[in-house]
Amino acid sequence: MSDTLRLSWDAPADRWEEAAPLGNGRIGAMAFGGATGRYALNDATVWSGTPDGPAAALRDVLATGAGPERLAEIRAALDAGDVRTAEALLMTFEGPYSQEFLPLGDLAVTIADAVATTPARVLDLDEAVLTETLQIPGGTVRRRSWVSAPARALIVELTADVEFAASLSLSTPLRGTPNGLGLDVEIPVDGAPLHETSVEPPLRYAGADPDFDAFAAVAVALDTDGFVDAAPARAAVHGARRLLIALSTSSRAEFWWADADGEWRTASREAIRDRAMQRADAAAHRAPSALLAEHLADRRRGARARFAIGGRREGTWNIDRDILHGDDAGLKATIAAEFGAYLLASSSRAGGPAANLQGIWNDQLRPAWSSNYTININTQMNYWAAPVLGLDDASEPLLALVERLARTGADVARELYGARGWVAHHNADLWGWSLPVGGGHGAPSWAIWMMGGVWLTHNLWDAYAFGGDVDLLRSRIWPVMRGSVEFCLDWLVPGPDGTLRTTPSTSAENSFVGPDGGTTAIGLTAASDIFLIRGLFERALAAVAALGVDDPLSAEIDRALAALAPVGVRSDGRLSEWSAEVVEVEPLHRHLSPLVGMYPLDTLTPDRDPHLFDAGVRLLDARGSGAMGWSWAWKIALRARTGDGDAAAQLLDEALAPFEGDATRHGPVDGSEWGGLLPNLFSTHPPFQIDGNLGFPAGIAEMLVQSHGGVVRLLPALPSSWTDGEVQGIGARTGLVVDLAWRDGSLASATVRSIRGGERDVAVLYEGRRVVLRVPEGGSVDVPLDESARAALAIGVHHAR
């Protein structure tokens, strides 16, 4: 076997939460393995809904009287302390709901008389290939499965030393019709989330003459030395020693997402079928070795970073014994970081939609929270690690999503709030939903939040800050940032003291005791608003400087920055989540929104304001331990920013513990039922959400390398339990990459490389020392060490590849 990192299971999967995830950014497959060989299929473009859904919903909301005049009434009611009137008026701004990401179907590849061996499945995270060996009478069958981005197809290759028989079949939980060795699939044009219990039917299909023909196609092509008996959506193969199965998909929404000259409007169903069939047929007519070589070359262009915490990385690690019930904290951290990188590279690729709440893997017709884009933390967390790990290709779909939100959100900002620029709220979907959701009965704590788009722009800024691509900043990132700046400038209003505040304001999903003694979420100027807006304004000025443009917005930004309301400190020393000191309904709330300035932003640091930073740490202390995967991941990154590696490691240990409950049950959101890892290492709420998995590598990397504030910090939050280790390819701002190793808790070697930009001086901080390194353009420089660190180099640790 190659020198790679592999995960193994002793048995085939009995349920979805045990299956192995495969994906190429658009096609997702959960591989069960074993004699029946089920692949649960997804296509990232298969969502309920239609392209005109967001615009139609905005028209309906405006028809109720929502708009700038009503916003003025809401603000007046809040100024008068009349929270209930403000709530009632504000809920008229709610559209119905964003749409759902849906399962596409199942492929079953059954091998006659086969019995799985041990290990039953081996998933190579570096090569993104699942390997199985099955016993059949007189010999063995080897099955390898991967989803190829270059071939745009799921590939299943079977080879045997004796003849074998196999069968395959296709099915879908949606409305499907066999079409040759494939399926025509009807997709619902509306899908209600689980909490909208009054919507009947919850999944609604179009009529006979739809405005949008929500259609997808699945196609399968075969190549074998055996005999094939084909029937609609199924086939039987016998007398074979080799069998290659290629499955591809297409949909009208795929055409729409690409938006090539409006081709999606005129593409016939036959054209969609042909696209899927051509892809499958082209793959099936190529040699498996060529397909695999192409796939491996493509995956090697993925994540740059490599982790070997504890000195071990390569090898085959059993998921149950080594990870879920293992006691090697370094190995578990390594797997968490590498598995997160694998999932992001598999679920987000240029040209396709962004990774949603479950990446691209969902088997439920009514998934939790619609498996949509929840943009008050979850979507942002999905992409925190991308620039750090060097997953530039994985970042592009998020930029494409934000560009779409900026288009639909411009109408919402103008018509609903009388503002320039664009706005997005709590939820989004494939179609660019940017309205508030809730249908007039959604709790304002989660439905009313105007900062979703603002936060997303910080992800885009990080893509520039780490990569240093000025052309990308100029052509795509700055136009989106600029629109968000315009909205914030118009959204801010002066308060009685003359400072600029946000009103109405919520702190995502949290609430407090209102002036009338009841629970409310609506107030004035949540701390998260100020941190997000201040960070956006500061980065906008940095963007203008980097681009060398004379933008009239700069003067407006300067004036607004000088007048922004301050973030307060409570009488108990904690950072205040709202502008007033109020009684919290949930002191242990899972969201850390008031600490967004500490991480992922850098507007709350000990250098900028040590007193406020200390108040932030006190608030973090008060929030307690974990609750679910994404909350753990955020707290890990926050603890890393405070320099408390042991606290971060303890949170990570909790997050990586096996989940023993019912993975299909929707656990309470208050944290009373903690999540953990499922048998396939998916992080769970419960149920499964991928943001925890994708957030872990960001937090782990932050413990080892930080680069905010113009300084590269090496081992800033190294836990005492991580005595030895090595990491390579960790991104640092701007256009830098760091390789480092440590031994007995001390830095043993470190190299800073430049991947973009000219020669520059780089400040590096480590073990209480600060040095300035001259890093040449396209070159590297070693960080100078003291004698004891140099001696550690002679001992070394296992190379991370």
Side-chain angles (χ1 to χ4, degrees), residues 250-303:
S250 186
S251 72
R252 188 170 305 281
E254 181 195 352
F255 281 71
W256 174 82
W257 182 262
D259 199 26
D261 301 322
E263 184 183 13
W264 65 272
R265 296 181 183 276
T266 58
S268 65
R269 288 191 170 193
E270 192 60 37
I272 296 169
R273 291 189 199 101
D274 286 348
R275 175 178 283 194
M277 191 64 243
Q278 288 166 7
R279 291 168 175 169
D281 205 41
H285 281 83
R286 296 181 62 195
S289 59
L291 287 168
L292 182 59
E294 180 183 65
H295 167 72
L296 296 181
D298 174 72
R299 292 297 293 208
R300 291 188 194 104
R301 291 193 293 269

Side-chain angles (χ1 to χ4, degrees), residues 8-11 116-122 131-133 316 318:
S8 71
W9 291 264
D10 287 339
T117 61
T118 302
R121 295 172 291 153
V122 177
T131 301
E132 306 165 66
T133 301
T316 301
N318 181 272

Side-chain angles (χ1 to χ4, degrees), residues 547-626:
L547 296 173
V549 297
D550 183 14
D551 196 305
L553 275 188
S554 296
E556 288 189 68
I557 294 170
D558 283 332
R559 289 192 294 271
L561 275 172
L564 269 184
V567 174
V569 177
R570 295 170 58 98
S571 57
D572 60 6
R574 289 182 292 147
L575 186 146
S576 182
E577 188 159 1
W578 293 275
S579 57
E581 184 165 338
V582 294
V583 177
E584 301 152 305
V585 175
E586 293 183 65
L588 299 178
H589 199 266
R590 61 201 175 277
H591 278 259
L592 286 304
S593 302
L595 299 180
V596 67
M598 185 182 295
Y599 184 93
L601 278 64
D602 59 357
T603 49
L604 177 58
T605 70
D607 294 332
R608 291 181 63 141
D609 190 332
H611 176 63
L612 193 61
F613 184 81
D614 180 66
V617 175
R618 289 173 182 264
L619 176 60
L620 181 58
D621 291 341
R623 284 290 163 92
S625 192

Side-chain angles (χ1 to χ4, degrees), residues 381 384 599 628-639 651 655 691-700:
M381 181 179 288
W384 283 349
Y599 184 93
M628 60 279 294
W630 64 262
S631 187
W632 267 307
W634 198 354
K635 289 175 182 178
I636 290 165
L638 286 166
R639 288 297 182 186
L651 289 164
D691 37 37
N693 289 112
L694 303 189
F696 295 149
I700 292 167

Side-chain angles (χ1 to χ4, degrees), residues 60-84:
D60 290 344
V61 167
L62 293 173
T64 69
E69 292 184 3
R70 185 165 292 173
L71 175 63
E73 295 178 48
I74 292 166
R75 287 172 167 168
L78 287 172
D79 286 342
D82 187 356
V83 174
R84 302 309 164 196

Side-chain angles (χ1 to χ4, degrees), residues 729-771:
I730 302 297
R733 303 166 179 90
T734 300
L736 300 172
V737 173
V738 176
D739 304 333
L740 61 83
W742 66 97
R743 182 72 175 174
D744 295 328
S746 295
L747 189 66
S749 68
T751 301
V752 179
R753 293 184 279 129
S754 170
I755 58 172
R756 190 181 293 272
E759 182 179 65
R760 90 289 295 269
D761 289 336
V762 176
V764 178
L765 183 66
Y766 62 101
E767 297 180 345
R769 300 176 60 191
R770 180 188 174 100
V771 297

Side-chain angles (χ1 to χ4, degrees), residues 220-234:
V220 172
L222 308 177
D223 181 65
T224 181
D225 61 352
F227 302 94
V228 179
D229 295 321
R234 63 185 59 249

Side-chain angles (χ1 to χ4, degrees), residues 678-763:
L678 298 171
N680 60 3
L681 299 190
F682 276 169
S683 178
T684 190
H685 187 283
F688 158 57
Q689 283 184 205
I690 205 169
D691 37 37
N693 289 112
L694 303 189
F696 295 149
I700 292 167
E702 200 72 15
M703 296 161 73
L704 302 173
V705 178
Q706 297 177 16
S707 62
H708 56 282
V711 178
V712 177
R713 298 166 178 84
L714 306 181
L715 303 180
L718 183 68
S720 57
S721 58
W722 296 2
T723 55
D724 307 325
E726 180 176 355
V727 292
Q728 294 187 348
I730 302 297
R733 303 166 179 90
T734 300
L736 300 172
V737 173
V738 176
D739 304 333
L740 61 83
W742 66 97
R743 182 72 175 174
D744 295 328
S746 295
L747 189 66
S749 68
T751 301
V752 179
R753 293 184 279 129
S754 170
I755 58 172
R756 190 181 293 272
E759 182 179 65
R760 90 289 295 269
D761 289 336
V762 176

